[in-house]
Amino acid sequence: MPKAFLLLLSLCLLLTGLQAQKKVTISGTVKDAKNGEVMTGAVIYSISDAQNGASVNAYGFYSLTVHPGKDTILAQYVGYNKKVFILNLTRDTTINFSMGEEIKTMQEVVVKADKGNKNVTSAQMGAETMTTKEIDKIPVFFGEKDIMKTLQLLPGVKSAGEGNAGFYVRGGGADQNLVLLDEAPVYNSGHLLGFFSTFNSDAIKDVTLYKGGMPAEYGGRLASVVDVKMKDGNDQDYSFSGGIGLITSRLTVEGPIKKHKGSFMASGRFAYPGLFAKLSSNSRVNKSILYFYDVNLKANYSLGDHDRVFVSGYIGRDVFSFDNRFALNWGNITATARWNHIFNEKLFSNTSFIFNNYNYKILVGQDSAQATILSGIQDINLKEDFQYYPNSKNKLHFGFNMIYHTFIPGEVTAIGMNKLVSLNQSKTHALENAVYAGNEQTIAPFFKMIYGVRLSVFTALGSQTTYNKYDPETNFPTDSTVYKAAQPIVTYWDLEPRLCMNFIINEHNSIKLSYDRNSQYMHQLSNTTSTNPTDLWVPTSKLVKPEISDQGAIGYFGNFLKGGLQPSVEVYYKYMQNQIDYASGADLILNRYVESQLVYGIGWSYGVETMMKFDIWKIHGWAAYTWSRSQRKFPDIDNAVPYYAKQDRTHEISLVAIYDINAKWSVSAVWVFYTGNAVTWPSGSYQIGNVTVPQYTERNGYRMPDYHRLDIGATVQLKKHKKWDHNLNLSLYNVYGRRNAYAINFQQDPNNPGQNQAVQLTLFRWVPSITYNFKFL
């Protein structure tokens, strides 16, 4: 007993001694010295304890807990100089500073930065962050910088087709990507039928793509999250920048509302491809109208040392009409209001109120015989996010999200014979709620984890009539239920665990593992090979179950030559439940019984993604290769025989290289190759009278031709002035003029009426472009 008592007492004294070793916390914000933009992703750490570090969050806030006394604190950000602060810490301290700006309140030493080894030491995997500065010199389509198309050059990300901004990630569908602009969902991220993205790069600060290991705060999609952040605006001086190109022109204005307290940014882009139609000798073509525009707005203001508010918005629209007989316009509107609050040196919160609306409108006919079709989706969204830094080993993240969805399946207004006829499908409503919590923890110097869980709950609401059963022969409902306004119809929930682990072998090598589960309650219906503005979004219902995915991955990450070479390899497997496809011959547009056209099954995808980033001497870029498979199995398709998803491509290669010749000239090149995606083609034909009818036997049983092209570009810095900077960007898309297939259609052979023939459509061979970019300081 005495020995046990002494042992217990000794343990208590030891614990007391450990608790007596108090620590202090350094916290504050980090900004760019030039323009006041927050330095998201900058790393602050203690030299005496290299494993003790903190990352700057999306709003510039950091919190680092260290031992009291003399210490050396280092701030580091890729592309900037390191800053070393020698401090004597006796209590919690707030230090706000700008990278590159002299801090007069403390001793400071500035040294040149390495490129860091965050890719090795961070527990996060399956993620890539890019800034618009990193893509400035990459050759682009029609001279328009496009951050979404740059993402398609990463391993595991596949383009939706020639020149298209749509994409697929790790075997998932196009609707399984959550695209956020300042936290607001963007339901269609393409302009000009997908040839340009909705994101004007002049207004964008950075974008982060999560292919796996998703943090607990994200949810609602199975394949990926693309988190796009707009610039805050220059809080120190006014500037004007923009560009004039063959297809688009841009203008951005930014400046301080009050120096070092608040700023604004306004950016606009207008595209005029329809001007080329005026050159046509065809009177029907030269009367066509085709253009798009987008506007990004953002403002922020500090209310004090602990509070900062942000307001941002986006509006974009495409307008197309042909021969005054057909018109289509579509677009997004988003608005985000945010409030950052620092409770103390350890607790940070962000409160967001978000609105977004996507719709399209089709006009068919002329004068007294017209029909207008309207469809879309609208969200009202409330988010509360907390970040808590209890000590140097843990960073907690928790909060909730509430979304009220309104779906507009289709409203038709027709004018004919002086009568107004309308056919309106009922609007549907739903609530999508979630609570989440996660932690980023350093278990040991060689072992780090990010783990968390998300609880998602989805409730379909009235008022509406739901159809519970359909006749398999006629596809008409045989049973229905009427629900009153706001009356719950059906509720689903799922618990979604998330986990990333990092085993650090040494400063140059690490092995990472991840697992994440995701649920998706909204579904996009499309029977085309790429995303179209008229694709229909429908909610989960009694018949349409939520999609669920479970994904596991393992990877190797390396860092050599002080970051000059960064190899990585990731292997993943994903299993998907309640996948949705359309029945053969499905009619999806304006079908009030659209659920009768759908079939349900499972899916799986797997692959190997390799990448080598390089930044050696004056050459930087990356080489990526992906081998992957994506399959589906449906009881109602091909007698339950597995088939390849339309986005399945076995091999994909992308090579990106930028060479800075000198301060004036830089050249770049991109080469891409991928094997053809799976398609459904007729395997034969039969005659009905004099008409040849194609016969289809299997879903996605054929392949498009292999695709490859080379793009080159050059940027020349023109003569600089004290208050004026400008350059010229030249590029050539598809240098060797390969006739890549955009689509292959089948039609009756005019020389042999009893047979069909394949006709390949090629859109782009050589596409030269020149863009003049300018900035007034």
Side-chain angles (χ1 to χ4, degrees):
M1 180 67 70
K3 290 184 179 179
F5 176 79
L6 289 174
L7 179 60
L8 180 60
L9 179 60
S10 299
L11 288 173
C12 290
L13 290 173
L14 178 61
L15 291 173
T16 302
L18 290 174
Q19 292 175 351
Q21 296 176 4
K22 292 184 178 180
K23 292 188 175 184
V24 295
T25 300
I26 309 168
S27 62
T29 57
V30 184
K31 294 185 177 182
D32 188 314
K34 273 190 174 182
N35 52 34
E37 291 280 352
V38 298
M39 305 287 285
T40 303
V43 177
I44 318 296
Y45 61 91
S46 166
I47 293 294
S48 60
D49 182 7
Q51 298 300 322
N52 184 9
S55 293
V56 176
N57 72 7
Y59 305 99
F61 178 78
Y62 74 94
S63 176
L64 177 67
T65 301
V66 298
H67 292 287
K70 285 189 176 181
D71 201 349
T72 303
I73 307 299
L74 186 144
Q76 181 179 3
Y77 188 77
V78 175
Y80 288 72
N81 287 332
K82 287 180 181 177
K83 298 183 70 171
V84 181
F85 306 111
I86 301 173
L87 307 173
N88 189 7
L89 299 166
T90 58
R91 58 186 174 84
D92 295 340
T93 305
T94 298
I95 302 176
N96 301 321
F97 64 93
S98 298
M99 296 291 282
E101 183 180 56
E102 184 179 359
I103 307 299
K104 298 180 180 180
T105 57
M106 64 194 73
Q107 185 179 357
E108 177 188 348
V109 180
V110 179
V111 297
K112 190 174 181 180
D114 299 328
K115 299 177 180 66
N117 65 339
K118 188 177 179 181
N119 65 314
V120 170
T121 59
S122 170
Q124 182 66 55
M125 70 178 298
E128 292 285 348
T129 297
M130 285 189 171
T131 66
T132 52
K133 290 181 181 179
E134 293 177 278
I135 69 168
D136 273 350
K137 298 172 184 177
I138 295 178
V140 289
F141 181 67
F142 278 123
E144 182 69 18
K145 288 186 299 183
D146 197 321
I147 204 159
M148 299 299 286
K149 289 185 181 177
T150 304
L151 290 180
Q152 295 174 8
L153 300 174
L154 298 175
V157 184
K158 304 175 186 296
S159 71
E162 171 82 275
N164 203 295
F167 61 100
Y168 306 103
V169 176
R170 290 188 171 178
D175 68 321
Q176 294 176 352
N177 303 308
L178 176 62
V179 180
L180 302 172
L181 177 62
D182 270 6
E183 301 185 67
V186 177
Y187 285 101
N188 188 297
S189 58
H191 279 308
L192 199 64
L193 298 176
F195 292 115
F196 297 89
S197 82
T198 58
F199 302 118
N200 175 6
S201 293
D202 287 356
I204 302 305
K205 178 167 59 179
D206 61 51
V207 57
T208 300
L209 166 70
Y210 294 95
K211 300 179 291 184
M214 294 177 194
E217 60 264 33
Y218 297 110
R221 300 293 187 276
L222 301 191
S224 74
V225 177
V226 179
D227 193 354
V228 183
K229 298 284 195 310
M230 278 198 270
K231 292 179 180 176
D232 296 327
N234 193 323
D235 71 353
Q236 298 177 52
D237 206 353
Y238 295 96
S239 67
F240 303 83
S241 61
I244 301 172
L246 297 177
I247 297 293
T248 65
S249 291
R250 318 175 315 275
L251 179 64
T252 300
V253 182
E254 54 184 312
I257 297 173
K258 184 178 181 181
K259 276 195 173 184
H260 307 296
K261 293 278 289 183
S263 60
F264 73 91
M265 183 276 300
S267 184
R269 177 175 60 166
F270 183 74
Y272 32 82
L275 290 179
F276 292 95
K278 304 298 181 184
L279 303 176
S280 174
S281 58
N282 188 317
S283 60
R284 300 180 68 183
V285 174
N286 61 37
K287 290 181 181 179
S288 299
I289 298 173
L290 178 60
Y291 66 87
F292 71 78
Y293 64 87
D294 43 40
V295 178
N296 296 76
L297 302 169
K298 191 170 184 178
N300 71 91
Y301 197 82
S302 294
L303 303 178
D305 292 336
H306 298 282
D307 296 279
R308 191 180 184 193
V309 293
F310 300 77
V311 179
S312 60
Y314 167 82
I315 180 170
R317 204 78 191 167
D318 284 72
V319 177
F320 169 66
S321 69
F322 178 74
D323 195 32
N324 296 321
R325 294 177 179 273
F326 174 81
L328 169 64
N329 69 76
W330 69 94
N332 298 275
I333 298 175
T334 74
T336 305
R338 289 180 290 189
W339 169 41
N340 290 174
H341 179 65
I342 301 173
F343 289 93
N344 52 50
E345 68 279 354
K346 292 180 179 290
L347 182 61
F348 175 92
S349 75
N350 176 62
T351 305
S352 302
F353 181 78
I354 305 158
F355 169 84
N356 62 278
N357 179 280
Y358 170 74
N359 63 64
Y360 67 82
K361 186 176 181 180
I362 302 174
L363 177 65
V364 182
Q366 282 184 310
D367 302 330
S368 61
Q370 290 185 345
T372 302
I373 304 169
L374 176 67
S375 184
I377 181 172
Q378 176 179 293
D379 293 341
I380 298 174
N381 190 337
L382 175 64
K383 292 178 64 179
E384 183 65 56
D385 184 72
F386 294 93
Q387 295 178 28
Y388 179 58
Y389 306 79
N391 52 52
S392 61
K393 305 297 183 183
N394 294 274
K395 177 183 174 182
L396 296 172
H397 207 122
F398 56 94
F400 67 85
N401 188 195
M402 303 172 62
I403 309 175
Y404 181 72
H405 300 291
T406 300
F407 301 85
I408 307 172
E411 296 180 357
V412 181
T413 302
I415 302 176
M417 302 299 291
N418 297 321
K419 292 184 179 180
L420 179 66
V421 181
S422 62
L423 171 64
N424 295 333
Q425 294 178 251
S426 299
K427 293 181 180 180
T428 58
H429 306 274
L431 275 175
E432 185 174 356
N433 301 321
V435 293
Y436 61 87
N439 187 28
E440 184 175 343
Q441 184 176 8
T442 300
I443 308 295
F446 59 86
F447 183 39
K448 296 182 180 181
M449 295 178 65
I450 301 175
Y451 53 89
V453 66
R454 180 183 181 91
L455 174 64
S456 59
V457 182
F458 182 91
T459 302
L461 301 173
S463 60
Q464 62 172 293
T465 300
T466 65
Y467 302 106
N468 307 317
K469 291 182 181 180
Y470 288 91
D471 185 293
E473 300 295 331
T474 65
N475 290 330
F476 285 107
T478 58
D479 180 49
S480 63
T481 306
V482 178
Y483 291 88
K484 299 178 181 178
Q487 182 180 357
I489 298 171
V490 63
T491 296
Y492 297 93
W493 66 274
D494 194 20
L495 202 61
E496 306 169 23
R498 314 288 173 84
L499 175 66
C500 287
M501 296 188 294
N502 186 11
F503 301 89
I504 302 173
I505 301 170
N506 52 44
E507 63 177 326
H508 300 297
N509 304 275
S510 68
I511 300 294
K512 300 183 185 182
L513 301 170
S514 72
Y515 165 76
D516 54 275
R517 182 182 178 93
N518 285 280
S519 298
Q520 180 166 331
Y521 301 98
M522 301 168 57
H523 321 281
Q524 190 179 46
L525 305 182
S526 173
N527 53 10
T528 62
T529 56
S530 61
T531 303
N532 285 323
T534 55
D535 291 341
L536 182 66
W537 285 91
V538 298
T540 292
S541 64
K542 284 186 175 181
L543 296 181
V544 181
K545 301 296 189 290
E547 300 176 69
I548 299 172
S549 75
D550 292 274
Q551 177 178 261
I554 182 171
Y556 162 78
F557 297 83
N559 190 301
F560 305 99
L561 300 179
K562 295 183 178 181
L565 290 177
Q566 295 185 0
S568 64
V569 180
E570 293 189 50
V571 181
Y572 69 90
Y573 180 86
K574 183 190 300 182
Y575 178 73
M576 296 167 281
Q577 304 175 54
N578 302 327
Q579 296 300 282
I580 300 173
D581 210 329
Y582 58 93
S584 299
D587 180 15
L588 303 181
I589 303 298
L590 293 175
N591 186 346
R592 63 185 304 183
Y593 307 131
V594 68
E595 291 179 345
S596 68
Q597 308 290 295
L598 307 178
V599 292
Y600 310 95
I602 61 173
W604 56 92
S605 61
Y606 48 91
V608 180
E609 301 168 358
T610 64
M611 188 174 188
M612 174 64 79
K613 293 183 180 179
F614 52 86
D615 191 350
I616 302 174
W617 193 43
K618 296 181 179 182
I619 303 175
H620 53 280
W622 66 88
Y625 167 71
T626 303
W627 177 91
S628 62
R629 305 264 65 175
S630 183
Q631 294 178 278
R632 303 292 184 267
K633 182 179 179 181
F634 285 71
D636 299 309
I637 298 177
D638 292 350
N639 298 315
V641 175
Y643 63 93
Y644 290 107
K646 63 184 180 183
Q647 61 269 23
D648 179 84
R649 293 180 191 145
T650 310
H651 305 283
E652 189 145 11
I653 301 171
S654 59
L655 304 175
V656 179
I658 302 168
Y659 175 46
D660 297 316
I661 300 173
N662 50 42
K664 185 175 181 179
W665 280 93
S666 68
V667 293
S668 57
V670 172
W671 185 74
V672 295
F673 168 88
Y674 55 79
T675 50
N677 55 289
V679 291
T680 301
W681 284 338
S683 56
S685 61
Y686 55 91
Q687 293 290 125
I688 299 180
N690 295 324
V691 179
T692 302
V693 180
Q695 182 178 10
Y696 298 89
T697 56
E698 57 182 321
R699 182 70 58 93
N700 294 345
Y702 296 86
R703 292 279 168 177
M704 291 286 285
D706 292 347
Y707 178 100
H708 55 88
R709 74 169 197 278
L710 172 68
D711 308 332
I712 59 173
T715 300
V716 54
Q717 183 70 46
L718 303 178
K719 185 177 180 180
K720 282 190 175 184
H721 300 264
K722 187 176 181 181
K723 291 287 186 179
W724 182 21
D725 187 15
H726 56 154
N727 65 64
L728 205 60
N729 180 272
L730 306 99
S731 64
L732 178 59
Y733 180 92
N734 197 9
V735 172
Y736 47 80
R738 176 173 167 81
R739 296 180 181 272
N740 288 302
Y742 179 75
I744 294 181
N745 301 310
F746 288 82
Q747 63 185 31
Q748 185 169 293
D749 187 343
N751 299 320
N752 190 348
Q755 293 185 356
N756 284 330
Q757 65 176 2
V759 179
Q760 176 175 305
L761 173 62
T762 297
L763 290 185
F764 307 110
R765 293 197 69 187
W766 299 280
V767 183
S769 63
I770 180 170
T771 304
Y772 173 70
N773 301 297
F774 60 86
K775 186 171 185 178
F776 294 94
L777 306 173

